[in-house]
């Protein structure tokens, strides 16, 4: 069973250097939709398993990553392969939407 990892600069660089699919979830403290998105991400991580890394990062915890992802709203999800941004999604997303995006990016 896969889980949502806490993204740090080091864990991001590790995933990026391997060319792994990464779904990065950028959250803002005290944001109700962000908390809901967190529960949805757990389901997504379990569904996709080893196909992708699913990680979360608080904008205040690792500001460099939030800046790198060009955060424009919360919650924000960024789908990357290696260091290439494939898709940005702002606002609450369903598990189905995220799983489909990962499958499309992985094929």
């Amino acid at each position: 069973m896969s889980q949502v990892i806490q993204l740090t600069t080091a864990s991001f660089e590790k995933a990026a250097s391997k060319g792994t699919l990464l779904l990065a979830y950028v959250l803002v403290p005290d944001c109700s939709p962000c908390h809901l998105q967190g529960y949805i991400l757990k389901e997504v991580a379990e569904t996709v398993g080893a196909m992708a890394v699913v990680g979360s990062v608080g904008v205040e915890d690792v500001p460099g990553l939030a800046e790198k992802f060009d955060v424009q709203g919360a919650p924000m999800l960024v789908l990357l392969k290696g260091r290439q941004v494939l898709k940005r999604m702002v606002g609450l997303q369903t598990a189905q939407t995220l799983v489909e995006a990962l499958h499309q990016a992985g094929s």
Side-chain angles (χ1 to χ4, degrees):
M1 170 171 38
S2 293
Q3 58 185 324
V4 179
I5 65 165
Q6 190 68 30
L7 285 177
T8 62
T9 302
S11 62
F12 170 76
E13 289 300 326
K14 182 178 177 182
S17 68
K18 290 182 179 179
T20 304
L21 267 179
L22 170 64
L23 181 61
Y25 161 54
V26 183
L27 65 114
V28 174
D30 301 325
C31 163
S32 295
C34 293
H35 292 290
L36 291 172
Q37 192 70 72
Y39 293 116
I40 292 168
L41 276 187
K42 290 178 186 177
E43 179 183 342
V44 171
E46 290 174 4
T47 301
V48 299
M51 175 189 175
V53 173
V54 179
S56 68
V57 60
V59 292
E60 296 173 350
D61 298 332
V62 188
L65 281 181
E67 185 176 315
K68 183 181 294 234
F69 296 148
D70 190 28
V71 176
Q72 303 193 3
M76 181 168 178
L77 295 116
V78 183
L79 178 56
L80 304 104
K81 185 162 190 173
R83 289 180 170 78
Q84 180 183 1
V85 175
L86 303 176
K87 187 171 190 167
R88 294 176 196 277
M89 297 166 269
V90 178
L92 190 61
Q93 304 294 316
T94 66
Q96 180 179 353
T97 297
L98 297 174
V99 169
E100 286 175 4
L102 285 163
H103 281 293
Q104 286 175 357
S107 57

